[in-house]
Amino acid sequence: MTSTERATGDLTARLDRLPRRAVSWAATGITGLALFVVFFCNFDINVSFIQTCTRIVPGCTEASADGFLALPVVLYLLGYMVGGLAVAPLSDRRGRRPIMLLGLAFALVGSLLTAVSGGYALFVVARAVTGVAMGTLLSVGNTYIGEVAPARARAAYTATTFVLCALGATLGIGLGLLLTTPGAPFPAGLPIALGGVLDDGWRWIYALAAVVALAALGAVTRLPESPRWLLQHGRVDDAERVVAGLERRARRRGPLPDPEPAPEVVASADPTVALREIVAAPLYRRRLVLLTLMWFFGYATVFGYSTGSTAILTGLHFTAPVAGMISAVGGLGFLVQALFSARFSEALERRAWLPVAAVMTMVGGIVVAVLGQSIAWAFVGSFLVFFGFNVWVPPTFALSAESFPTRVRSAGFGLVDGLGVLGGAAGVLVIAPLVPRLAPLPALVLVSSSLIVAAVIAQFTPRARNRALEDLSP
């Protein structure tokens, strides 16, 4: 082993022994803010679209708005695919930080275009631009977290960041409820809701998304580059400076443990070779197929609920304000789930969370369908649904990044996530239109069922908990 190889192994070992406080400001603070932006952008259409549609689409009514939702959602998912498949892999060549900045630029531009849309055509194009940000930042942000987090806490870091994602989602849904639905006594609505007097509340939601994206752009300029990416590209001295800075931050609160031996990082500045390796090498090809199928079926449920729960509920004969209120309570379930995952995601192997998620989502859907005539039970069911269809996501984000080598980690994540999001399109185009034609119970069981398929597939993915990245994906 050369002195350079020993140095790379020493640096990754030093990185893996760091306590959470050393990198939390970068992994869960700055990166979390970037992911907050895209989750806000993902969920801000959920409740607000009914008002948007009635203002910019001739002939659109509250009752017919769900018929106009599919196109902006599908184009958003198309942009998501472009971000994951085309933009995110650039970070394997150019670095994690520059492509995170590029992703936030898409969020900024897309949100501004959405806010000023005067017609349906510009609105759906703007949603496609915003989707590029989601696909880019999910891949690169989670890759970055996986590369700076200690081996024993990668899922915990991802889950802690997911708290900010949940806050973004909750804010997007909550502002839709506040600014685009008419005031009404709880639980039929919010007494302080402004939708009855504020004609363009939906525009303010997208404008706020642009402001937060601009703030995140400023924060990411201060993000240190991933030491593992620097080592992969032979920049050992730069990696040393980053790791030493993180160690200084950690030592302010006490001594550090001795690093354990770690595999060296073999420099490779040409990620196109490794990209072919994903397809050619049996190990990575198998992971590519399994993870893509898992995300495909999982996203059919996730996007069916996350972007269209209000439309699904109105299709089940809830009024629009009540459907929005039920979705908002579901958003609180998302937030509670994120706090739960931040504490407990390392308690189980990554793949074990899929069965937990499938059972909770199915139970929540059944509660809404069978007992939803009572608003209290509808709230309980919605809470369970949003908790369930999200609880598997943080550890599986971690698994997707862990399953590919550093030299092509963003590309690997982008492939499985970008291709998997086709399942989200299937959920919107195939499953959601069937909901109004079915009785409540089979409708919500149908939306939840694909997550069961994802849970079965996940059991064949690799065990990643507490393993060094260089050992898991050499």
Side-chain angles (χ1 to χ4, degrees):
M1 183 185 299
T2 67
S3 60
T4 298
E5 289 173 335
R6 283 195 299 272
T8 63
D10 290 344
L11 283 172
T12 57
R14 287 163 57 191
L15 196 59
D16 278 340
R17 59 91 181 256
L18 289 173
R20 294 183 65 169
R21 63 181 180 271
V23 296
S24 59
W25 63 280
T28 61
I30 295 175
T31 308
L33 178 60
L35 292 173
F36 171 95
V37 171
V38 292
F39 270 74
F40 178 47
C41 290
N42 184 60
F43 281 81
D44 56 11
I45 194 175
N46 191 307
V47 176
S48 68
F49 182 73
I50 291 176
Q51 188 190 68
T52 305
C53 186
T54 58
R55 300 302 187 272
I56 67 173
V57 181
C60 178
T61 66
E62 286 189 2
S64 64
D66 61 321
F68 294 94
L69 181 62
L71 183 58
V73 170
V74 169
L75 286 183
Y76 177 88
L77 295 177
L78 180 62
Y80 187 132
M81 288 183 61
V82 171
L85 299 177
V87 182
L90 296 175
S91 79
D92 292 325
R93 292 188 180 188
R94 303 299 181 186
R96 311 309 185 201
R97 183 176 63 183
I99 307 306
M100 288 179 66
L101 290 168
L102 180 59
L104 285 167
F106 277 105
L108 173 61
V109 173
S111 296
L112 283 175
L113 288 175
T114 312
V116 301
S117 296
Y120 188 58
L122 180 57
F123 180 85
V124 298
V125 170
R127 289 300 294 175
V129 174
T130 309
V132 177
M134 184 74 165
T136 300
L137 287 168
L138 271 185
S139 297
V140 183
N142 284 290
T143 291
Y144 181 86
I145 293 167
E147 290 178 350
V148 300
R152 65 188 179 279
R154 285 192 297 267
Y157 266 72
T158 303
T160 302
T161 304
F162 207 62
V163 174
L164 285 172
C165 298
L167 285 171
T170 303
L171 182 62
I173 293 174
L175 285 176
L177 192 64
L178 177 65
L179 299 180
T180 69
T181 63
F186 183 85
L190 285 179
I192 61 172
L194 303 174
V197 296
L198 192 61
D199 191 59
D200 58 353
W202 65 275
R203 295 189 189 276
W204 289 101
I205 296 171
Y206 293 109
L208 177 61
V211 172
V212 180
L214 186 62
L217 271 166
V220 171
T221 61
R222 302 177 61 83
L223 191 71
E225 185 54 81
S226 160
R228 282 187 163 91
W229 182 87
L230 292 169
L231 292 174
Q232 187 67 62
H233 288 255
R235 296 168 57 179
V236 178
D237 291 341
D238 291 336
E240 165 65 37
R241 281 190 287 271
V242 173
V243 173
L246 295 173
E247 289 173 330
R248 284 194 300 272
R249 178 179 291 269
R251 287 194 179 101
R252 294 172 187 171
R253 297 188 180 182
L256 297 176
D258 293 332
E260 298 179 0
E264 72 275 7
V265 177
V266 180
S268 172
D270 184 7
T272 60
V273 174
L275 185 57
R276 290 195 295 271
E277 179 184 330
I278 289 179
V279 179
L283 173 66
Y284 297 127
R285 183 172 64 244
R286 182 174 185 271
R287 292 178 181 180
L288 173 66
V289 172
L290 285 172
L291 290 168
T292 299
L293 289 173
M294 180 201 65
W295 281 114
F296 180 93
F297 287 101
Y299 273 153
T301 294
V302 167
F303 279 90
Y305 279 121
S306 67
T307 62
S309 65
T310 302
I312 289 172
L313 289 165
T314 54
L316 295 175
H317 313 301
F318 289 98
T319 64
V322 173
M325 182 64 67
I326 295 171
S327 292
V329 172
L332 292 177
F334 186 2
L335 178 59
V336 172
Q337 167 273 314
L339 294 170
F340 172 89
S341 293
R343 176 66 179 83
F344 295 107
S345 61
E346 289 288 353
L348 301 176
E349 185 59 52
R350 319 299 191 223
R351 61 195 182 190
W353 288 107
L354 270 294
V356 174
V359 170
M360 289 194 69
T361 305
M362 185 66 72
V363 169
I366 291 172
V367 168
V368 172
V370 176
L371 303 174
Q373 296 86 351
S374 163
I375 192 69
W377 279 112
F379 285 164
V380 170
S382 181
F383 184 94
L384 288 173
V385 164
F386 273 73
F387 191 108
F389 81 73
N390 284 291
V391 74
W392 66 284
V393 176
T396 312
F397 277 161
L399 175 64
S400 297
E402 293 163 336
S403 295
F404 300 98
T406 300
R407 56 191 175 272
V408 70
R409 184 162 289 124
S410 283
F413 193 113
L415 275 170
V416 300
D417 191 59
L419 293 174
V421 84
L422 288 171
V428 172
L429 290 175
V430 179
I431 297 176
L434 296 175
V435 169
R437 305 178 188 179
L438 300 173
L441 182 58
L444 290 174
V445 167
L446 175 64
V447 177
S448 305
S449 60
S450 63
L451 192 53
I452 296 175
V453 180
V456 173
I457 295 170
Q459 304 317 301
F460 299 94
T461 58
R463 301 180 68 88
R465 184 167 167 259
N466 294 330
R467 294 178 63 184
L469 284 177
E470 289 72 26
D471 174 55
L472 176 62
S473 300

